Amino acid sequence: RPPRSTLFPYTTLFRSIEFYNCDEEILKTPQVIEKRMNEAAKVANATIVQSVFHHFNPYGVSGAVIISESHLAIHTWPEYGYAAVDVFTCGDKINPWTAFKYLEEVFKAERSESIEVPRGMVEKIRNFSPKNLGKITFKPETIKEEVC
């Protein structure tokens, strides 16, 4: 892939993923969903900050894995064998498609679909800002301290 600065004029990417005909037992178990979502973040080379998951009565799980590069989120409907996953990332360090393939496998999805949406369009950020923003990057550059 060419560098984002020349071909991809945005700061982040949002991926919406649909998993169909998944294993219903997996989708209704919050501990399994949390474990698999954290593992998906790890296989994608993301840096996990925190995760939080909630079990709905009688079943269904919603949760998020907060990563330094943004987040992974999930909502499950076990009764339909369906899971909706969002992967929102910035930077070039992680590979979200690795997470996608991992989750597709562990949820035992028979079918999956996805869309990718660029977010933080650089020119819109620049045009709508009342101030001069200078160089816009997906992550602030590290400021080097001078040593005396």
Side-chain angles (χ1 to χ4, degrees):
R1 237 167 145 159
R4 178 172 301 180
S5 59
T6 57
L7 191 59
F8 303 104
Y10 50 83
T11 59
T12 60
L13 272 174
F14 171 78
R15 293 148 194 96
S16 179
I17 304 164
E18 315 271 331
F19 293 110
Y20 300 97
N21 302 322
C22 301
D23 184 308
E24 293 178 19
E25 289 303 311
I26 291 170
L27 295 186
K28 69 169 70 169
T29 311
Q31 298 84 357
V32 172
I33 295 298
E34 183 169 11
K35 179 180 179 189
R36 297 305 189 201
M37 289 292 288
N38 277 278
E39 289 170 349
K42 288 177 187 173
V43 300
N45 200 32
T47 305
I48 298 172
V49 175
Q50 182 177 354
S51 64
V52 62
F53 285 77
H54 177 77
H55 183 234
F56 292 97
N57 188 13
Y59 38 66
V61 179
S62 288
V65 179
I66 307 305
I67 58 177
S68 294
E69 303 81 8
S70 197
H71 69 271
L72 287 76
I74 187 168
H75 306 283
T76 72
W77 287 263
E79 67 273 30
Y80 306 127
Y82 171 77
V85 173
D86 296 334
V87 180
F88 194 26
T89 62
C90 63
D92 299 320
K93 177 185 154 210
I94 75 171
N95 182 347
W97 299 113
T98 304
F100 167 81
K101 283 295 187 192
Y102 174 80
L103 291 172
E104 184 178 54
E105 182 180 313
V106 298
F107 292 162
K108 301 178 183 174
E110 291 179 9
R111 181 182 175 110
S112 60
E113 296 178 340
S114 65
I115 59 170
E116 187 174 75
V117 179
R119 302 286 304 270
M121 303 302 286
V122 171
E123 284 310 306
K124 285 186 178 185
I125 293 170
R126 188 179 316 287
N127 289 339
F128 297 147
S129 177
K131 61 183 180 180
N132 181 349
L133 298 174
K135 181 179 178 184
I136 297 175
T137 62
F138 66 87
K139 185 176 180 182
E141 294 178 3
T142 306
I143 298 172
K144 295 181 181 179
E145 293 184 32
E146 291 186 37
V147 178
C148 297

